[in-house]
């Protein structure tokens, strides 16, 4: 086990290097240019479309697809708004300094153009599956889209296959499954002393009840769960920020200064190199909003719509909500309360992960703050589990067909429970495998986005 921990740590540390970061951020920047800054020009329109769907005023019932455009968004959001927003942001600040959130914001701003491309291509190149449902995602737009480009024809099928394999791996073994159940179990154990195995049984039971009903039941749960959990979590964070309102300007200044300097001028916390801040901010940002990783278009490809551009605009709001709103709330609460400077008396080390965010909330809202984090972690994790089960299922169906679905769901539930009981040093295995598997998933996508996304008026 010690050798596995050491190996996964080394792999995760070296995977997110300068080249990987440059590739993903560069893709978002290039797409921003190709679409003429669509995330800035059309953000108002995108938010209006989102609100129209939330109020059930969109006219999509008779259009081809399985779920409404808003349900596609909430399904994608249920996969992205997960424990990365709670534990991942805290880990970024600990490992990369207070400048980490700044690079999360940059990742989100350029990532919105990438997410637009994902949603648009997911609808444009989707297929009708064996059971009559809509099937979309990188597997289809890489394979079919590359057929339109002479010098990329031979790469389409192999790259689509690589993505599908990586998608299944991420869904079963990475951040989408074991990391979520792990963080949920840790939160309830640290706050209420609930045994890891008991939380694991609860999680796997609820997850199984939802995923057995397929995409229709998943979106029905996501449509109600996502708005509730975002409002609950953001509401608690806003309360803390209001009672610490005088500290917000200095917190924002610290984030910006720490993003470009070697010093983080708060006593008790040692500074980090700029590259360390960028690396942790970018990979935790991508871990949270998943822009460029190719997961969201699997959900958006099932939307009831004839207009790929319209769905692309709706998809783009997901990155804004996930990172610019939810992740920012976590980062600001941790920094204004200075919780990232505190030492865990049990270990003698700086607090990290869910425990750090819980400390930040508890410091301003005793008892209730811990409940918000624990309950929020549970809801965030549950929503991510059910959405990513669907993503992995679609990737596996692309490779083997629909008959393998029931076996996949059983394995997903078993690994969900396994993740909940992996604690202590074993926690690093879950996080590190998640970081690497999501990164590998992203490799085939930059080529497809930059070649298949056309300039948008």
């Amino acid at each position: 086990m010690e050798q596995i921990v050491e190996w996964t740590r080394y792999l995760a540390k070296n995977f997110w290097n300068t080249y990987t970061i440059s590739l993903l951020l560069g893709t978002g920047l290039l797409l921003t240019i190709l679409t003429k800054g669509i995330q800035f020009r059309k953000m108002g329109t995108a938010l209006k479309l989102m609100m129209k769907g939330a109020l059930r005023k969109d006219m999509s019932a008779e259009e081809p697809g399985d779920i409404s455009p808003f349900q596609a968004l909430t399904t994608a959001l249920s996969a992205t708004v997960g424990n990365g927003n709670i534990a991942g942001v805290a880990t970024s600040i600990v490992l990369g300094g207070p400048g980490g959130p700044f690079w999360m914001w940059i990742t989100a701003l350029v990532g919105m153009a990438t997410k637009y491309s994902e949603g648009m291509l997911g609808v444009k190149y989707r297929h009708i599956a064996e059971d009559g449902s809509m099937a979309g995602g990188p597997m289809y737009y890489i394979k079919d889209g590359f057929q339109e480009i002479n010098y990329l024809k031979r790469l389409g099928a192999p790259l689509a296959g690589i993505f599908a394999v990586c998608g299944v791996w991420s869904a079963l073994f990475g951040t989408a499954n074991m990391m979520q159940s792990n963080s949920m179990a840790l939160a309830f154990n640290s706050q209420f002393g609930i045994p890891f195995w008991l939380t694991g049984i609860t999680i796997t039971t609820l997850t199984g009840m939802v995923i057995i009903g397929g995409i229709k039941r998943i979106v029905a749960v996501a449509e109600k769960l996502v708005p509730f959990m975002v409002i609950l979590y953001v509401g608690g964070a806003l309360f803390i920020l209001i009672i610490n309102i005088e500290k917000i300007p200095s917190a924002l200044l610290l984030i910006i200064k720490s993003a470009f300097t070697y010093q983080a001028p708060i006593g008790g916390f040692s500074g980090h190199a700029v590259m360390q801040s960028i690396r942790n901010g970018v990979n935790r940002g991508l871990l949270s909003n998943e822009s460029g990783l190719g997961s969201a278009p699997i959900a958006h490809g099932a939307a009831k719509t004839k207009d790929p551009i319209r769905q692309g605009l709706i998809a783009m709001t997901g990155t804004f909500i996930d990172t610019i709103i939810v992740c920012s709330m976590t980062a600001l609460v941790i920094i204004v309360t200075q919780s990232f400077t505190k030492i865990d008396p049990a270990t003698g080390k700086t607090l990290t992960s869910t425990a750090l965010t819980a400390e930040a909330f508890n410091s301003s809202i005793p008892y209730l703050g811990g409940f918000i984090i624990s309950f929020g972690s549970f809801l965030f994790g549950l929503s991510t589990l059910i959405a990513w089960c669907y993503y992995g299922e679609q990737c596996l169906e692309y490779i083997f067909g629909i008959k393998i679905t029931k076996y996949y769901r059983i394995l997903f539930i078993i690994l969900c429970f396994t993740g909940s009981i992996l604690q202590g040093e074993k926690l690093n295995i879950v996080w590190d495998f998640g970081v690497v598997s999501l990164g590998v998933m992203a490799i085939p996508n930059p080529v497809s986005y930059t070649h298949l996304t056309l300039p948008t008026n």
Side-chain angles (χ1 to χ4, degrees), residues 114 119 152 181 254 314 327 343 454:
T114 307
L152 291 177
S181 60
L254 175 61
I314 294 172
C327 284
I343 304 297
L454 301 176

Side-chain angles (χ1 to χ4, degrees), residues 89-105:
V89 175
T91 303
S92 172
I93 292 173
V94 170
L95 296 178
F102 176 86
W103 298 110
M104 281 189 179
W105 297 334

Side-chain angles (χ1 to χ4, degrees), residues 50-61:
M50 181 196 71
M51 290 305 300
K52 195 173 181 181
L55 297 173
R56 301 180 184 276
K57 293 183 178 180
D58 58 354
M59 306 299 291
S60 61

Side-chain angles (χ1 to χ4, degrees), residues 257-265 270-275:
K257 283 184 66 176
S258 299
F260 297 99
T261 64
Y262 285 91
Q263 296 181 352
S270 58
H272 290 259
V274 174
M275 195 60 221

Side-chain angles (χ1 to χ4, degrees), residues 28-46:
L29 184 59
L30 181 57
L31 287 169
T32 298
I33 296 170
L34 286 174
T35 60
K36 303 175 184 178
I38 194 167
Q39 67 267 53
F40 306 111
R41 294 187 299 108
K42 297 290 186 179
M43 192 61 201
T45 302

